[in-house]
Amino acid sequence: TACRVGKDLGAVRAAGWDLSAACSGFVYGAQVAAAFIANGTHRCVLVVGVEVLSRILDYADRNTCVLFGDGAGAAVLQATEIDDPATQPHIYSSHLHADGTYAKELWIEGPSMTYAPDRYSENWLERGAHWPKMNGKTVFKHAVTRMPEVAMEALDANGFTVDDVDLWIFHQANMRINYFAAKQLGIEDDDKVFNTIQRFGNTTAATIPIGLDEALKAGKLEPGMLVCIAAFGAGFTWASSLVRW
């Protein structure tokens, strides 16, 4: 996918690769981009979060098909000199985590090399192994724990408090998850939490860049703001970034 995007942009000399971290994918990708920029090997990186989930959903499974949507968002990260961290745009830090213990609580079993040497089989088609499966209760429990946890990790690492944050951009999996995450963090001002799930559904890796873009359009995101981003998704993966916009 990345190589095809590069071709369409005419960026045929740029490196391109796909990164899979489910709903945390954009934060993971932005951290990889920031690391490349910081070590001087790359000057400018395009990070894209994109999903076309409507083509892989089982529309008889109400646990999944009513939640997920299609979407895409992107950001350009580039090298810059920072004289005043309190006002100039930059990423303070990102924090990435994963625990494969819970991989089967939200996953697509096949097709997979698990079935090698046969890529496809009648067995997994009959079992519906090619459709996403989710244990909603387990996902909810971990999301409302991990997102506040990783958000606080970012704040603590940079000497900020919850009250210092001007805008919170959470992954858009479920409005109740975001409500509980905000409650866990002690966020008292609902206007500081920007949500888009009511419009677009869960677009997984695209929710964060879509949220940032929609917040800009709505006038909720302005230069100089301190923004905390937190995501949780399949794998399980979870991640956060603290950004000066």
Side-chain angles (χ1 to χ4, degrees):
T1 300
C3 295
R4 291 175 63 183
V5 171
K7 176 188 73 71
D8 291 344
L9 292 174
V12 294
R13 295 175 59 193
W17 70 95
D18 298 332
L19 184 156
S20 178
C23 304
S24 306
F26 185 82
V27 185
Y28 267 64
Q31 170 58 9
V32 171
F36 280 160
I37 291 169
N39 70 23
T41 60
H42 293 70
R43 182 182 58 84
C44 189
V45 183
L46 175 68
V47 183
V48 181
V50 57
E51 302 286 358
V52 188
L53 295 164
S54 62
R55 299 182 184 180
I56 63 167
L57 293 173
D58 178 3
Y59 285 92
D61 179 9
R62 304 298 291 178
N63 289 320
T64 57
C65 71
V66 298
L67 302 175
F68 295 102
D70 300 342
V76 177
L77 277 66
Q78 61 187 34
T80 185
E81 294 291 335
I82 300 298
D83 298 316
D84 184 4
T87 60
Q88 293 176 288
H90 69 288
I91 299 174
Y92 282 96
S93 65
S94 296
H95 306 267
L96 316 180
H97 298 276
D99 185 352
T101 304
Y102 302 96
K104 294 183 180 182
E105 302 299 325
L106 177 54
W107 73 324
I108 299 177
E109 184 181 355
S112 164
M113 290 307 294
T114 300
Y115 300 104
D118 298 322
R119 179 167 169 77
Y120 298 97
S121 73
E122 291 184 8
N123 176 264
W124 64 255
L125 282 172
E126 291 170 358
R127 292 188 295 105
H130 57 301
W131 300 122
K133 298 291 191 303
M134 178 172 68
N135 183 335
K137 289 183 179 179
T138 300
V139 171
F140 184 93
K141 176 182 176 181
H142 283 266
V144 299
T145 301
R146 296 304 190 183
M147 284 208 299
E149 182 180 273
V150 77
M152 285 307 305
E153 183 179 1
L155 294 179
D156 291 343
N158 296 283
F160 290 103
T161 69
V162 169
D163 292 336
D164 292 323
V165 177
D166 297 304
L167 190 67
W168 297 84
I169 303 287
F170 293 131
H171 166 57
Q172 302 292 299
N174 181 303
M175 192 69 85
R176 287 179 63 242
I177 288 176
N178 291 356
Y179 169 79
F180 276 96
K183 187 176 180 180
Q184 292 276 82
L185 286 162
I187 301 170
E188 297 181 356
D189 187 352
D190 292 341
D191 286 339
K192 287 189 173 183
V193 180
F194 191 79
N195 292 303
T196 60
I197 191 170
Q198 68 274 22
R199 294 187 61 197
F200 306 116
N202 181 356
T203 56
T204 65
T207 64
I208 298 298
I210 287 175
L212 291 168
D213 184 58
E214 290 295 309
L216 275 170
K217 293 175 180 175
K220 297 287 188 179
L221 183 55
E222 299 177 353
M225 279 187 165
L226 185 65
V227 182
C228 190
I229 296 166
F232 176 88
F236 287 158
T237 63
W238 59 99
S240 66
S241 286
L242 191 64
V243 179
R244 180 69 65 186
W245 192 258

